[in-house]
Amino acid sequence: MTAEQAATTGHWPTGTPILWRYRANGATYPHICRPVTVVRDTPELLAAWLAPGTLCVRPELADGTPVHREPLTTRYTKPRRAAFTRWFGMGVLKLARPQEPWSVWLFWDRGWRFKNYYVNLEEPRLRWPGGIDSEDHFLDLEVSPDGRWEWRDEDEFAEAQRAGLMDAKQAERVREAGERAVAAVRTWGSPFADGWDRWRPDPHWAVPELPDDWDRPPSGGAAPGSTCPHPPPGAP
């Protein structure tokens, strides 16, 4: 069953492949796309598994330089293009609660040794028939299994403001959201205390495929006769 077919029920059944996407900051089009498998979808929580080997979309500079290797002063001003890469490592479990301005990601080392939580500050997610869309807010939290935490990417958060990707009011809202996330970590409530670190994926799940029209508008398909502007490798 496709995500679009399952969406008619209001929530996606466990095992449904969907797209977890992020819009380019200040834009309407997605520049990050990760096919994931629904673990749980209820009014309280969406949990999704990003499997190792999944073909994903991420931005890179127009000359092929990975974004994280570009000096910070020009990282957000140089032209970019879509890059297609396989997800490596043990995979990631993503947890998101409706209207919460962050999602919580769980990482493991080999052998399923739990590594850490990662709180990704982001726009509350927009649900559409094929998946969810959000916008990354640069600032994040890394949380160890014992509850210790630290800010991550504060330099990128500051540079995004200097580059005009985020105005002062939005930056203030993001920082406030981060403080609320810190409070959630300190109280060690849901989802940190819910045992997700002991979760394991169904071994029968197939790795979701990246569709040719991965960047289609969430409100509907492209115009008749149009083509995907960023087709994945091997697409006609």
Side-chain angles (χ1 to χ4, degrees), residues 14-229:
T14 297
T16 303
I18 65 171
L19 301 179
W20 192 300
R21 308 192 304 185
Y22 289 94
R23 298 182 298 273
N25 296 85
T28 59
Y29 59 88
H31 72 154
I32 292 174
C33 181
R34 296 165 182 160
V36 296
T37 301
V38 172
V39 174
R40 181 186 300 174
D41 186 22
T42 69
E44 292 77 34
L45 179 74
L46 173 63
W49 170 242
L50 174 56
T54 303
L55 183 62
C56 301
V57 184
R58 60 171 175 78
E60 67 180 11
L61 299 189
D63 63 3
T65 301
V67 171
H68 69 277
R69 293 184 180 175
E70 177 67 18
L72 194 60
T73 54
T74 52
R75 187 172 300 175
Y76 302 121
T77 57
K78 285 189 175 181
R80 295 185 176 192
R81 66 184 185 188
F84 300 87
T85 58
R86 298 279 177 184
W87 193 267
F88 61 92
M90 286 291 294
V92 181
L93 179 65
K94 297 189 174 193
L95 309 175
R97 296 193 289 189
Q99 303 308 311
E100 206 161 49
W102 63 78
S103 58
V104 178
W105 305 356
L106 282 73
F107 291 85
W108 288 264
D109 287 324
R110 294 189 180 279
W112 288 104
R113 184 174 66 85
F114 184 60
K115 183 180 179 182
N116 65 273
Y117 303 93
Y118 195 85
V119 181
N120 195 73
L121 297 176
E122 59 191 44
E123 193 74 18
R125 290 138 305 278
L126 168 69
R127 292 176 67 105
W128 57 285
I132 60 170
D133 284 5
S134 183
E135 183 178 292
D136 185 75
H137 285 163
F138 302 98
L139 188 63
D140 305 301
L141 288 171
E142 185 172 309
V143 184
S144 65
D146 62 5
R148 291 177 297 169
W149 62 271
E150 62 178 334
W151 293 110
R152 296 296 303 271
D153 302 328
E154 288 188 282
D155 55 346
E156 294 187 358
F157 181 60
E159 185 59 34
Q161 295 171 63
R162 286 191 288 269
L165 296 179
M166 182 178 294
D167 62 27
K169 288 185 177 180
Q170 185 182 17
E172 182 179 1
R173 291 194 298 270
V174 171
R175 180 63 77 171
E176 290 173 352
E179 294 295 344
R180 295 199 302 275
V182 168
V185 171
R186 286 173 170 162
T187 58
W188 208 250
S190 184
F192 306 102
D194 295 342
W196 284 107
D197 56 310
R198 299 187 298 275
W199 174 86
R200 301 292 183 266
D202 187 327
H204 296 100
W205 284 343
V207 175
E209 295 183 0
L210 179 70
D212 295 348
D213 59 347
W214 63 268
D215 55 355
R216 64 190 181 275
S219 58
S226 65
T227 59
C228 174

